[in-house]
Amino acid sequence: MNIDKLLVPPNKAIKLKDYSPAQTEPYRAKADVEDKLENDILALADLQAMLNAQNTYALLIILQGIDAAGKDGTIKHVMSGVNPAGCQVKSFKAPSVEELDHDYLWRHVRALPERGYIGIFNRSYYEEVLVVRVHPELLAKERIHVSKKQDKLWADRYRQINDFERYLVENEIVVLKFFLHVSKDEQKKRFLERLEKDGKNWKFSEADVKERAFWDDYTRAYEDMLSHTSTEHAPWHVIPADHKWFTRVAVAHIIVQTLQGLKLGYPELDAAQKKSLKAAKQLLENEP
């Protein structure tokens, strides 16, 4: 799999039309990736165990995408082999009154993974340059000065987010960012499926359908976000999401590749610790 094709180049303006949401290269069908996905899930479980034991790095995975892009399903399948005790998933919905009384990064800082853990943000602080940009009336709830020009506001937030992520990376929190890129037609298909299948009715939200009227606005907001916040230290990956099986194998591949790049390993014991283990073993073996 050529990951370079999925990367958003740092400091370059991009258009989402140049990234096909239906792309599945180098695979043609779900059957082509079943073994690879299974092997990557197993590898991820081993890597997470070493990440936890080494207790040096944390991994923050950010998933962004429009409604029905497949964020929940990606988490469910890709992380299916991971020890739940070493993985934290946080879904960010509309901020509470308490959260609105703080800066927009506050609630996300509180949810950062600790060393040795994988943290997943299902939506994130990027909503502050996406949904808030498409619906600027939300700024009033954040008590933003109305005199501040919105173009300047978004530029400031891009800079703040880039600085924040650089801080995280410099403090051994690896940041992996995935934008699940689904087409408008595929989103419609998934919404209809939620309406037609009893087991999926609970997923349906009338508000999600109403947001389709803002599709072009969201596209522009995503393009600006990707163009301004894909950096060397925390690049964006645009993951084709029309085929769920490809989304999952691509995300799993990138996570495994990233963790392998950290050269993780189990802590080595010094002579005194090894001696202590040997003594403990002898005690157990000599028990009556």
Side-chain angles (χ1 to χ4, degrees):
M1 183 182 298
N2 187 352
I3 298 304
D4 291 342
K5 290 184 177 180
L6 306 180
L7 275 173
V8 176
N11 305 313
K12 182 179 179 180
I14 62 104
K15 293 293 183 183
L16 283 175
K17 63 180 179 61
D18 296 328
Y19 296 81
S20 171
Q23 192 269 123
T24 63
E25 295 177 2
Y27 309 108
R28 298 179 63 182
K30 182 179 180 180
D32 297 338
V33 304
E34 287 178 345
D35 288 344
K36 174 173 173 50
L37 181 57
E38 183 178 351
N39 289 335
D40 279 345
I41 289 172
L42 291 172
L44 179 53
D46 290 339
L47 288 162
Q48 187 238 348
M50 286 187 280
L51 177 78
N52 189 259
Q54 185 171 308
N55 200 36
T56 300
Y57 300 99
L59 175 64
L60 174 62
I61 298 171
I62 293 175
L63 287 173
Q64 288 289 155
I66 207 153
D67 301 309
K71 298 181 291 296
D72 291 338
T74 298
I75 296 169
K76 177 181 176 181
H77 286 81
V78 172
M79 311 306 290
S80 60
V82 167
N83 183 346
C87 184
Q88 307 158 344
V89 181
K90 177 67 176 178
S91 296
F92 290 97
K93 303 186 184 300
S96 66
V97 173
E98 179 189 18
E99 290 166 343
L100 286 169
D101 276 337
H102 292 82
D103 66 274
Y104 70 92
L105 286 174
W106 179 77
R107 63 176 179 158
H108 303 91
V109 171
R110 299 176 74 207
L112 287 172
E114 59 195 270
R115 295 189 189 280
Y117 282 70
I118 296 175
I120 302 172
F121 284 1
N122 185 346
R123 300 186 187 272
S124 67
Y125 41 83
Y126 281 101
E127 294 294 290
E128 294 293 334
V129 292
L130 292 170
V131 65
V132 178
R133 180 170 181 173
V134 173
H135 298 288
E137 64 273 14
L138 295 173
L139 289 171
K141 294 183 178 180
E142 298 183 11
R143 297 159 181 80
I144 300 297
H145 295 299
V146 293
S147 60
K148 192 169 188 177
K149 293 184 178 179
Q150 284 190 28
D151 286 347
K152 176 68 163 56
L153 174 65
W154 309 133
D156 286 347
R157 287 191 171 180
Y158 294 144
R159 174 181 52 78
Q160 291 159 2
I161 288 170
N162 289 340
D163 289 344
F164 174 61
E165 290 177 347
R166 179 181 293 279
Y167 166 82
L168 296 180
V169 172
E170 289 177 350
N171 284 276
E172 312 293 13
I173 300 177
V174 179
V175 180
L176 263 184
K177 302 187 295 192
F178 300 105
F179 166 60
L180 305 192
H181 183 28
V182 69
S183 66
K184 192 174 184 180
D185 287 343
E186 180 61 21
Q187 188 200 52
K188 178 180 178 180
K189 176 183 172 183
R190 293 178 187 180
F191 281 165
L192 288 172
E193 186 178 17
R194 291 178 181 181
L195 287 167
E196 293 165 357
K197 292 188 177 182
D198 291 343
K200 293 191 175 184
N201 286 169
W202 65 273
K203 287 186 174 183
F204 179 75
S205 168
E206 187 177 352
D208 292 345
V209 175
K210 290 180 178 179
E211 286 297 284
R212 279 175 64 82
F214 300 95
W215 187 274
D216 292 342
D217 295 324
Y218 274 109
T219 297
R220 285 189 290 271
Y222 274 112
E223 287 175 342
D224 280 353
M225 176 202 79
L226 294 167
S227 298
H228 289 92
T229 62
S230 190
T231 59
E232 293 285 354
H233 54 274
W236 275 103
H237 300 81
V238 177
I239 307 296
D242 275 10
H243 299 283
K244 295 178 181 178
W245 58 266
F246 182 80
T247 303
R248 293 162 187 170
V249 76
V251 169
H253 176 84
I254 294 169
I255 296 173
V256 167
Q257 191 177 63
T258 299
L259 288 174
Q260 287 174 338
L262 297 178
K263 307 298 182 185
L264 299 171
Y266 292 104
E268 293 187 9
L269 302 183
D270 58 28
Q273 291 171 318
K274 289 179 180 179
K275 184 177 179 180
S276 177
L277 288 182
K278 186 176 180 179
K281 181 181 178 182
Q282 288 178 339
L283 282 173
L284 289 170
E285 289 176 341
N286 293 331
E287 280 186 355

